[in-house]
Amino acid sequence: MILSFSFVLALACLAMVAGPLLPVFFGLFVPYAAFLVFLVGFVWRLINWGRTPVPFRVPTVGGQQKSLDFIKPSSLDAPYSHWAALARVLLEAFAFRSLLRNSGAELSVDGRLLYRTLPGLWFFALLFHYSLLLVFLRHFRIFLENPPALTGALENLDAFLEVGRPRFYLSAASLALALFFLLLRRVLNGRLRYISLPGDYSPLFLLIGIVVSGLFLRYCAQSDYVQTKAFVAGIFSLRPQNPAGLHPAFFLHLFFVSILLASFPFSKLMHMGGIFFSPARNLPNNSRAAHHENPWKGPLEFRGYADYENEFRAVMREAGLPLEIDPDQTSEAKE
Amino acid sequence: MPLPPDAGQLLQDLDYSVPRVSWMESKAVFNTGFFCWPAREDTMRALKIPAAHSWNVTDEDWHLPENWEKIIHKALCVYLEKFRSLKIFMDVCVRCGACADKCHFYLGGGDPKNMPVLRAELLRSVYRQDFTLAGKLLGKAAGGRKLDKEVVKEWFYYFYQCTECRRCALYCPYGIDTAEITLIVRALLLELGLGTQWIMEPVLNCKRTGNHLGIQPHAFKEIVEMLCDDIEDLTGVHICPPINEKGHEILFIAPSGDIFAEPGIFTFMGYLLLFHEIGLDYTLSTYASEGGNFGSFVSPSLMREINAKMYAEAGRLGVKWILGGECGHMWRVIHQFMETMNGPAPAGMITPRSPVTGTVFTHAANTKVVHIAEFSADLIRHKKLNLDPARNDHLVMTFHDSCNVTRGMGLIEEPRYVLKAVCNNFIEMPENTIRERTFCCGSGAGLNADEIMELRMRGGLPRGNALRYVQEEHGVNAMACVCALDRAALPALADYWAPGVSITGLHELVGNALVLRGEKKRDRDLRGEDLPTSAADADSASCPDLDPKDAGQGEERHV
Ligand code: SF4
Ligand code: SF4
């Protein structure tokens, strides 16, 4: 944790100090390069996964199979068709169903294992991902010179509380809250701290940096809005403008986003794509009904019956077991 | 520390706190009672395992082949290229910790490396170091770890403390399936000549004699005859099941544990009684006398080899379909792997159809193998069995869902349907410990060796705890299961965690409740123990539901 915190802190200083000094590098080169790395890396990873064969149909079955007509099957957790499996994956990707099942095991003083449902992780994970999505979509107001009406509607929805000036966005608060929970959970829960790697903390720190700098830009550096917006829209329309004079906090914001994007294909953030590829979730539980092909299945070698009978013929004969090659009959036949 | 004789003591001493040293820095400490004896050199040689050699778990030097790093690297590369599952599971874990306290070995022992996420990290750290860009550039900062001999030892220790039960996979948001990872790491270890005798010997036996226990054909026949003698003694009904005979409709394959030892044999007697009563046209086989598949615990290729006998024998004997007995991993293999590995089924086989009820088992149209719980539930549904559940009235039952048939297949309600028809007293264990959330017996995937009794009892804690609960609250005194490994492992678990609870197979109970045509007064159950008197009195030998044309068929054919 210390490692990734110092790393992210160093990045922050770098962006704030060097950004305004080398505006073109940090404002244009880095974001474009990062986006390119992200795009190429992400697609490459997906292709790489997609090209790796799935030799067996191994879904984790989470409910009653389809078998007899008087027993009700669980169509989502033991999907029988590809469509049902698809529904399972989509619900997994968009509603985090497996996390909803989460429970914590605890040993009571009288030696009983008790299981408590723990919807916290599910809730905050969902809150985080959807807030992030909303915030991202809202940003199209800045990305595009003529934002579509939809972004305006989203904004109004997001700011329906109509408090603050500029208007306060709910998604920003929920994003911050969720990030805070996810970080706190990782730091305070001993078990989780023990399994965490630097790569688990850095995205959290980066995101926190992004949110904080974003909030700062919105509420404390509003005067820069017009120039910033023009610059960002320039990036997106591939007509880059001179980034000199932009606020240091903006350089930080942009730099962190770039780092996050560039590291995406090489980090655990790839779970975003991986969730759709997991054979444990995206395959139907019907391998007894429908054939599944293993593309690399080689020739089969095993001990055939003939070999077996050759070894045991004498004892089998004595025990009166039927034989393929019965020495009695063959000798009779010869005579 | 040795296993405390008192389960209460074990519970009190349980410590889930995490150590100060990072898991990457700490080596595996080999505690007696937590590791199996290594596979013997001759066994491994006979199985043509490369780098077979003799070694000792507690020795400093495991005599790994000289280029062991290369071997692992190459093999891992191959598995990554062949299994999308492995690649995904290596890449997408976010260490959210949802799986951490889902593993029975972690819950029963508190060793953090038994959290599924860390178990997988033992491999993942090496993968990151050697196979990812970030790891190659940043090493440890990217979560990488150099593969050294200590890591190999750690793999051996912890990947043989996983029963491939897939409970963790159920809770993981990406379905990261430690069973898949464990299977592959065990296969990697085999490449270095490292395995356990408890698994490799049965594999070798199975290749040679057709079953794990090494029972030769004549002995197999003798055992079946002995069980039939017992049946005749208890019920007055004479049965003589066909063995290796061609021209029957169905090949019945059970796990060999069911003909070998108590309490499995009682389940086997139950199968035979049922088949006799409905006049099933079937045969047993000595060549395919094993439903289970110890190969599936350690290597995809050994799994395939052992399993191949089923279709081969079905084809040779000319049967129409296969009926499978009660076993966990046998059914994971049949359901999820068999037809892919060894299919298509022999040409003469057809979509299974119950000869008694006419039900067509379309869900098995491809593999052509039906589970006996499915088969029996269908019989009961169509009222084809004359059952007297009162004969099981001395039992207050609960049901243990075996991991493999549950999370590997979805066989959840069928056994319950049968159970409720043959027993009057049935109590479920707490909901977080049954059905798809079921806890392993702690002895699966080749971990039912005697030398790891402590590991097994600890791994059995969550199941034992739930069992103890229904024992105390509801007076449960027997637990049914549909798995041969369970039948071998659970009696010890019950003795430790919930003394006084006996373990039965599902079809043992069926056999007890089944009213046979021409049976004598049943005053003892299949174990030879006295039946509750009221039930014995109330016995009737009539069988109004059966089609008269079926009646007596079984006997006629076999005399
Ligand atoms: S639940 Fe899945 S993603 Fe979360 S830590 Fe466990 S394996 Fe990793
Ligand atoms: S498969 Fe079962 S035994 Fe293995 S890590 Fe997962 S929960 Fe534990």
Side-chain angles (χ1 to χ4, degrees), chain B residues 135-203:
Chain B
K136 280 182 195 156
L137 294 177
L138 301 172
K140 210 178 149 204
R145 190 168 64 140
K146 203 184 136 4
L147 175 67
D148 59 24
K149 287 188 178 171
E150 291 305 325
V151 171
V152 170
K153 288 184 176 176
E154 200 180 37
W155 283 359
F156 182 81
Y157 193 57
Y158 288 104
F159 285 103
Y160 281 97
Q161 291 191 33
C162 166
T163 45
E164 305 181 0
C165 77
R166 305 165 96 221
R167 189 169 194 267
C168 46
L170 181 75
Y171 290 89
C172 172
Y174 318 111
I176 293 178
D177 181 353
T178 316
E180 193 95 342
I181 300 173
T182 294
L183 171 67
I184 287 171
V185 174
R186 288 182 180 184
L188 293 178
L189 291 170
L190 277 191
E191 301 273 338
L192 300 182
L194 307 174
T196 69
Q197 187 66 8
W198 189 265
I199 294 176
M200 300 317 279
E201 187 174 347
V203 171

Side-chain angles (χ1 to χ4, degrees), chain B residues 322-395:
Chain B
I322 300 174
L323 182 62
E326 300 178 11
C327 179
H329 66 283
M330 156 180 176
W331 271 95
R332 168 122 204 263
V333 174
I334 291 177
H335 186 75
Q336 296 200 324
F337 301 105
M338 177 161 168
E339 206 275 342
T340 299
M341 293 187 301
N342 293 323
M349 292 178 81
I350 57 161
T351 300
R353 177 182 166 277
S354 171
V356 183
T357 66
T359 300
V360 179
F361 300 98
T362 47
H363 69 290
N366 183 41
T367 53
K368 313 192 190 321
V369 194
V370 171
H371 193 288
I372 190 162
E374 298 166 345
F375 183 71
S376 297
D378 174 65
L379 288 172
I380 292 168
R381 173 73 175 189
H382 288 89
K383 300 201 169 50
K384 297 296 186 192
L385 302 179
N386 186 7
L387 298 166
D388 178 9
R391 288 187 192 163
N392 287 320
D393 268 355
H394 55 305
L395 303 175

